[in-house]
Amino acid sequence: MRGLTEKETQEAMAHILDNLPIEQELQRWKQEEENPVLMRKLLDVVAQRAKDDGGLIVSVKSDEVLRGAENIELFQADKKGDVNVVSSNGNYRFAMVFTSRERFKVCNDTSGFVVFIDELFRFLISQPDIDGIMLNLKKEEAVFDKEMMKKVLSMMEQG
C-alpha cells in the first residue's frame, strides 16, 4: 500500500477538519450556556461529525512534529507527543483541542496532531491524568468532561 501524496494528505485533512457545523453550534451555545437544548444540539453535531470521519486537532509537545498551525499532521502511531493540558480551578486537567487550523493558532508555539473525533475521545477517556477537553481555547471555549465525551460516543454509535 502506497502512502498519501502531500496533496492527498492536505485534502484529507481539509475533509477531516471541516468543522464549521461544530463552530456554529459552539457560537450559538456560548450565547446561552445554561440552555440544555443548545448543549444537546452541540453534542449532536459533534457526534455527527464523528460519524462523518470528522477530526480535531490536539495540541501536543513533540520533538517529532514542527510547531505551528501550518505544520499540523495527521496522527501516526510512530510519532510521539505528550498531550498539552490546561488546568482549571480544582486542579482539573483538560486536553487542548481545536476545531480548525485557525482556532489552533492560539497555540502556535506547540505541535498538533489531527485525530478522528471518536479515536481522540476514546484515547483521552482512557487517560487517568486528563479530565476532559478544552475545545477552542481563547475562542468559543467549551469544556467537555469525560462523561460528555462518552455521551458523544454513545450518540455516534446509536445513529
Side-chain angles (χ1 to χ4, degrees):
M1 183 173 152
R2 71 172 180 83
L4 295 176
T5 67
E6 182 61 28
K7 182 180 179 195
E8 290 169 331
T9 300
Q10 292 306 316
E11 288 172 355
M13 281 204 303
H15 170 74
I16 293 167
L17 293 175
D18 184 15
N19 288 322
L20 184 59
I22 295 174
E23 292 169 359
Q24 290 171 333
E25 283 307 317
L26 272 170
Q27 290 168 0
R28 281 187 199 97
W29 174 73
K30 286 303 280 187
Q31 294 172 6
E32 217 178 320
E33 290 183 34
E34 300 303 316
N35 186 332
V37 173
L38 293 178
M39 175 50 76
R40 172 60 193 232
K41 178 69 174 158
L42 174 58
L43 295 178
D44 284 340
V45 170
V46 173
Q48 184 60 53
R49 283 295 300 137
K51 280 193 257 184
D52 294 340
D53 293 329
L56 298 168
I57 304 167
V58 60
S59 174
V60 296
K61 295 178 207 127
S62 175
D63 294 330
E64 299 181 33
V65 179
L66 295 174
R67 295 177 180 182
E70 298 311 313
N71 297 310
I72 62 171
E73 293 187 12
L74 289 173
F75 175 74
Q76 299 172 37
D78 64 331
K79 296 239 177 156
K80 304 296 180 215
D82 295 321
V83 175
N84 283 317
V85 298
V86 291
S87 296
S88 71
N89 296 341
N91 297 321
Y92 293 105
R93 296 169 43 90
F94 299 100
M96 295 168 34
V97 176
F98 301 87
T99 54
S100 67
R101 287 179 192 267
E102 186 61 34
R103 301 294 195 275
F104 183 77
K105 286 180 180 177
V106 300
C107 288
N108 238 11
D109 60 340
T110 70
S111 302
F113 285 127
V114 176
V115 184
F116 290 112
I117 294 169
D118 57 329
E119 291 176 9
L120 178 62
F121 282 14
R122 284 186 184 95
F123 169 74
L124 293 174
I125 288 167
S126 74
Q127 301 303 301
D129 59 337
I130 294 177
D131 298 300
I133 65 169
M134 170 69 72
L135 187 60
N136 289 349
L137 180 70
K138 298 184 181 176
K139 295 289 183 179
E140 297 89 3
E141 278 191 17
V143 173
F144 286 29
D145 64 13
K146 287 184 177 182
E147 290 306 311
M148 290 176 74
M149 290 190 293
K150 289 176 187 176
K151 177 74 174 164
V152 167
L153 292 173
S154 173
M155 293 165 75
M156 182 189 139
E157 291 163 1
Q158 291 174 0

